[in-house]
Short mmCIF file of all heavy atoms in Angstrom, two decimals:
data_model
loop_
_atom_site.label_atom_id
_atom_site.label_comp_id
_atom_site.label_asym_id
_atom_site.label_seq_id
_atom_site.Cartn_x
_atom_site.Cartn_y
_atom_site.Cartn_z
N ILE A 37 -8.32 -3.43 -3.01
CA ILE A 37 -7.63 -2.41 -3.80
C ILE A 37 -6.75 -1.58 -2.88
O ILE A 37 -7.13 -1.28 -1.74
CB ILE A 37 -8.64 -1.48 -4.51
CG1 ILE A 37 -9.56 -2.26 -5.44
CG2 ILE A 37 -7.92 -0.38 -5.28
CD1 ILE A 37 -10.74 -1.44 -5.94
N SER A 38 -5.59 -1.17 -3.38
CA SER A 38 -4.73 -0.26 -2.62
C SER A 38 -3.93 0.58 -3.59
O SER A 38 -3.66 0.17 -4.72
CB SER A 38 -3.80 -1.05 -1.69
OG SER A 38 -2.99 -0.18 -0.92
N HIS A 39 -3.53 1.77 -3.16
CA HIS A 39 -2.72 2.64 -3.99
C HIS A 39 -1.82 3.49 -3.11
O HIS A 39 -2.15 3.81 -1.96
CB HIS A 39 -3.58 3.54 -4.88
CG HIS A 39 -4.82 4.05 -4.22
ND1 HIS A 39 -4.79 5.01 -3.23
CD2 HIS A 39 -6.11 3.71 -4.39
CE1 HIS A 39 -6.03 5.26 -2.83
NE2 HIS A 39 -6.85 4.48 -3.51
N SER A 40 -0.68 3.85 -3.65
CA SER A 40 0.27 4.70 -2.95
C SER A 40 1.14 5.38 -3.98
O SER A 40 1.77 4.71 -4.81
CB SER A 40 1.13 3.89 -1.98
OG SER A 40 2.04 4.72 -1.27
N GLY A 41 1.16 6.71 -3.96
CA GLY A 41 1.97 7.43 -4.93
C GLY A 41 1.56 7.11 -6.35
O GLY A 41 0.40 7.24 -6.71
N GLU A 42 2.51 6.64 -7.13
CA GLU A 42 2.25 6.34 -8.54
C GLU A 42 1.93 4.88 -8.80
O GLU A 42 1.95 4.44 -9.95
CB GLU A 42 3.47 6.75 -9.37
CG GLU A 42 3.65 8.25 -9.49
CD GLU A 42 2.44 8.92 -10.16
OE1 GLU A 42 2.03 8.46 -11.23
OE2 GLU A 42 1.93 9.89 -9.59
N TRP A 43 1.61 4.12 -7.74
CA TRP A 43 1.35 2.69 -7.91
C TRP A 43 -0.03 2.31 -7.40
O TRP A 43 -0.50 2.83 -6.40
CB TRP A 43 2.42 1.86 -7.18
CG TRP A 43 3.78 2.04 -7.76
CD1 TRP A 43 4.78 2.86 -7.28
CD2 TRP A 43 4.30 1.44 -8.94
NE1 TRP A 43 5.88 2.79 -8.09
CE2 TRP A 43 5.62 1.93 -9.11
CE3 TRP A 43 3.79 0.52 -9.86
CZ2 TRP A 43 6.42 1.53 -10.18
CZ3 TRP A 43 4.59 0.13 -10.91
CH2 TRP A 43 5.89 0.62 -11.07
N VAL A 44 -0.63 1.36 -8.12
CA VAL A 44 -1.96 0.83 -7.76
C VAL A 44 -1.87 -0.68 -7.79
O VAL A 44 -1.23 -1.26 -8.68
CB VAL A 44 -3.04 1.31 -8.75
CG1 VAL A 44 -4.41 0.76 -8.35
CG2 VAL A 44 -3.07 2.84 -8.82
N THR A 45 -2.49 -1.33 -6.82
CA THR A 45 -2.52 -2.79 -6.81
C THR A 45 -3.91 -3.28 -6.44
O THR A 45 -4.69 -2.56 -5.81
CB THR A 45 -1.48 -3.36 -5.82
OG1 THR A 45 -1.42 -4.78 -5.96
CG2 THR A 45 -1.84 -3.04 -4.39
N ALA A 46 -4.22 -4.49 -6.86
CA ALA A 46 -5.52 -5.09 -6.55
C ALA A 46 -5.37 -6.60 -6.49
O ALA A 46 -4.44 -7.17 -7.07
CB ALA A 46 -6.57 -4.71 -7.60
N SER A 47 -6.29 -7.23 -5.77
CA SER A 47 -6.34 -8.69 -5.70
C SER A 47 -7.77 -9.15 -5.87
O SER A 47 -8.71 -8.45 -5.47
CB SER A 47 -5.77 -9.20 -4.37
OG SER A 47 -6.47 -8.64 -3.28
N VAL A 48 -7.92 -10.34 -6.46
CA VAL A 48 -9.23 -10.92 -6.74
C VAL A 48 -9.18 -12.40 -6.42
O VAL A 48 -8.22 -13.08 -6.77
CB VAL A 48 -9.61 -10.71 -8.23
CG1 VAL A 48 -10.87 -11.49 -8.58
CG2 VAL A 48 -9.81 -9.23 -8.55
N SER A 49 -10.24 -12.91 -5.76
CA SER A 49 -10.28 -14.32 -5.40
C SER A 49 -11.72 -14.72 -5.07
O SER A 49 -12.58 -13.87 -4.89
CB SER A 49 -9.37 -14.58 -4.19
OG SER A 49 -9.42 -15.94 -3.80
N GLU A 50 -11.94 -16.03 -4.98
CA GLU A 50 -13.24 -16.51 -4.51
C GLU A 50 -13.28 -16.61 -2.99
O GLU A 50 -14.31 -16.94 -2.42
CB GLU A 50 -13.56 -17.87 -5.14
CG GLU A 50 -14.00 -17.76 -6.60
CD GLU A 50 -14.56 -19.09 -7.12
OE1 GLU A 50 -15.24 -19.79 -6.36
OE2 GLU A 50 -14.30 -19.40 -8.29
N THR A 51 -12.16 -16.37 -2.33
CA THR A 51 -12.10 -16.37 -0.87
C THR A 51 -11.61 -14.99 -0.41
O THR A 51 -10.97 -14.26 -1.18
CB THR A 51 -11.14 -17.46 -0.35
OG1 THR A 51 -9.85 -17.26 -0.92
CG2 THR A 51 -11.67 -18.85 -0.71
N PRO A 52 -11.88 -14.60 0.84
CA PRO A 52 -11.51 -13.25 1.29
C PRO A 52 -10.03 -12.95 1.14
O PRO A 52 -9.17 -13.77 1.46
CB PRO A 52 -11.93 -13.27 2.77
CG PRO A 52 -13.06 -14.25 2.83
CD PRO A 52 -12.67 -15.33 1.86
N VAL A 53 -9.74 -11.75 0.65
CA VAL A 53 -8.37 -11.30 0.44
C VAL A 53 -8.22 -9.87 0.93
O VAL A 53 -9.19 -9.12 1.01
CB VAL A 53 -7.94 -11.37 -1.05
CG1 VAL A 53 -7.81 -12.80 -1.52
CG2 VAL A 53 -8.93 -10.60 -1.92
N GLY A 54 -6.99 -9.51 1.25
CA GLY A 54 -6.68 -8.13 1.58
C GLY A 54 -5.32 -7.79 1.00
O GLY A 54 -4.40 -8.61 1.06
N ILE A 55 -5.18 -6.61 0.42
CA ILE A 55 -3.91 -6.21 -0.17
C ILE A 55 -3.60 -4.78 0.21
O ILE A 55 -4.51 -3.95 0.38
CB ILE A 55 -3.93 -6.39 -1.71
CG1 ILE A 55 -2.50 -6.46 -2.27
CG2 ILE A 55 -4.72 -5.28 -2.40
CD1 ILE A 55 -2.41 -7.03 -3.67
N ASP A 56 -2.31 -4.48 0.36
CA ASP A 56 -1.91 -3.12 0.68
C ASP A 56 -0.56 -2.84 0.05
O ASP A 56 0.32 -3.72 -0.01
CB ASP A 56 -1.82 -2.92 2.20
CG ASP A 56 -1.76 -1.45 2.57
OD1 ASP A 56 -2.72 -0.71 2.23
OD2 ASP A 56 -0.78 -1.02 3.18
N ILE A 57 -0.38 -1.60 -0.43
CA ILE A 57 0.88 -1.17 -1.03
C ILE A 57 1.29 0.15 -0.41
O ILE A 57 0.44 1.00 -0.09
CB ILE A 57 0.74 -1.02 -2.57
CG1 ILE A 57 2.10 -0.72 -3.21
CG2 ILE A 57 -0.29 0.03 -2.96
CD1 ILE A 57 2.09 -0.80 -4.74
N GLU A 58 2.58 0.31 -0.19
CA GLU A 58 3.12 1.57 0.31
C GLU A 58 4.43 1.86 -0.43
O GLU A 58 5.27 0.98 -0.59
CB GLU A 58 3.40 1.52 1.81
CG GLU A 58 2.16 1.51 2.69
CD GLU A 58 1.44 2.85 2.76
OE1 GLU A 58 2.02 3.87 2.31
OE2 GLU A 58 0.31 2.88 3.27
N THR A 59 4.57 3.10 -0.90
CA THR A 59 5.85 3.54 -1.46
C THR A 59 6.75 4.03 -0.34
O THR A 59 6.28 4.32 0.77
CB THR A 59 5.63 4.67 -2.49
OG1 THR A 59 4.90 5.74 -1.87
CG2 THR A 59 4.84 4.16 -3.69
N PHE A 60 8.03 4.15 -0.63
CA PHE A 60 9.00 4.51 0.39
C PHE A 60 9.35 6.00 0.41
O PHE A 60 10.31 6.41 1.05
CB PHE A 60 10.30 3.71 0.18
CG PHE A 60 10.11 2.22 0.27
CD1 PHE A 60 10.57 1.39 -0.74
CD2 PHE A 60 9.47 1.65 1.35
CE1 PHE A 60 10.41 0.02 -0.67
CE2 PHE A 60 9.30 0.27 1.44
CZ PHE A 60 9.78 -0.54 0.43
N ASP A 61 8.56 6.82 -0.30
CA ASP A 61 8.94 8.22 -0.44
C ASP A 61 8.39 9.12 0.67
O ASP A 61 8.77 10.28 0.76
CB ASP A 61 8.50 8.76 -1.81
CG ASP A 61 7.01 8.57 -2.05
OD1 ASP A 61 6.34 7.95 -1.21
OD2 ASP A 61 6.53 9.04 -3.10
N ARG A 62 7.52 8.61 1.51
CA ARG A 62 6.91 9.43 2.55
C ARG A 62 7.63 9.25 3.88
O ARG A 62 7.76 8.13 4.38
CB ARG A 62 5.44 9.10 2.71
CG ARG A 62 4.70 10.01 3.67
CD ARG A 62 3.23 9.70 3.69
NE ARG A 62 2.51 10.54 4.62
CZ ARG A 62 1.21 10.46 4.90
NH1 ARG A 62 0.48 9.55 4.26
NH2 ARG A 62 0.65 11.26 5.77
N GLN A 63 8.10 10.35 4.46
CA GLN A 63 8.80 10.31 5.73
C GLN A 63 7.82 10.54 6.88
O GLN A 63 6.97 11.43 6.81
CB GLN A 63 9.89 11.39 5.76
CG GLN A 63 10.92 11.20 6.86
CD GLN A 63 11.79 9.96 6.65
OE1 GLN A 63 12.11 9.61 5.51
NE2 GLN A 63 12.17 9.29 7.73
N ARG A 64 7.92 9.72 7.93
CA ARG A 64 7.05 9.83 9.10
C ARG A 64 7.88 9.61 10.36
O ARG A 64 9.05 9.24 10.28
CB ARG A 64 5.93 8.77 9.05
CG ARG A 64 4.96 8.90 7.90
CD ARG A 64 4.01 7.73 7.87
NE ARG A 64 2.91 7.90 6.94
CZ ARG A 64 1.97 7.00 6.71
NH1 ARG A 64 2.01 5.83 7.32
NH2 ARG A 64 1.00 7.23 5.85
N ASP A 65 7.24 9.83 11.51
CA ASP A 65 7.86 9.46 12.77
C ASP A 65 7.55 7.97 12.98
O ASP A 65 6.59 7.60 13.67
CB ASP A 65 7.32 10.30 13.92
CG ASP A 65 8.09 10.09 15.22
OD1 ASP A 65 8.79 9.05 15.33
OD2 ASP A 65 7.98 10.93 16.12
N PHE A 66 8.36 7.12 12.36
CA PHE A 66 8.04 5.71 12.27
C PHE A 66 7.96 5.04 13.64
O PHE A 66 7.05 4.23 13.87
CB PHE A 66 9.08 4.99 11.39
CG PHE A 66 9.11 5.48 9.97
CD1 PHE A 66 10.25 6.08 9.46
CD2 PHE A 66 8.01 5.33 9.15
CE1 PHE A 66 10.29 6.52 8.15
CE2 PHE A 66 8.03 5.78 7.84
CZ PHE A 66 9.18 6.39 7.34
N ILE A 67 8.85 5.36 14.53
CA ILE A 67 8.86 4.71 15.84
C ILE A 67 7.62 5.11 16.64
O ILE A 67 6.98 4.27 17.29
CB ILE A 67 10.15 5.05 16.61
CG1 ILE A 67 11.37 4.50 15.87
CG2 ILE A 67 10.08 4.48 18.03
CD1 ILE A 67 11.38 3.00 15.70
N ALA A 68 7.26 6.39 16.59
CA ALA A 68 6.08 6.85 17.33
C ALA A 68 4.81 6.15 16.84
O ALA A 68 3.97 5.73 17.64
CB ALA A 68 5.93 8.37 17.20
#
């Protein structure tokens, strides 16, 4: 399961899975 801002996502399987979501509205020191 993952969520960011107004969005939520999930994945389901019989084998291991990983999911991640990020919105583009958050400003950070990306290079650092």
Side-chain angles (χ1 to χ4, degrees):
I37 301 169
S38 182
H39 39 71
S40 181
E42 289 300 310
W43 295 99
V44 180
T45 187
S47 57
V48 171
S49 179
E50 284 191 38
T51 57
V53 290
I55 200 163
D56 195 60
I57 186 170
E58 289 287 348
T59 55
F60 299 128
D61 55 356
R62 186 176 179 183
Q63 196 67 35
R64 296 174 170 178
D65 189 341
F66 298 117
I67 297 299

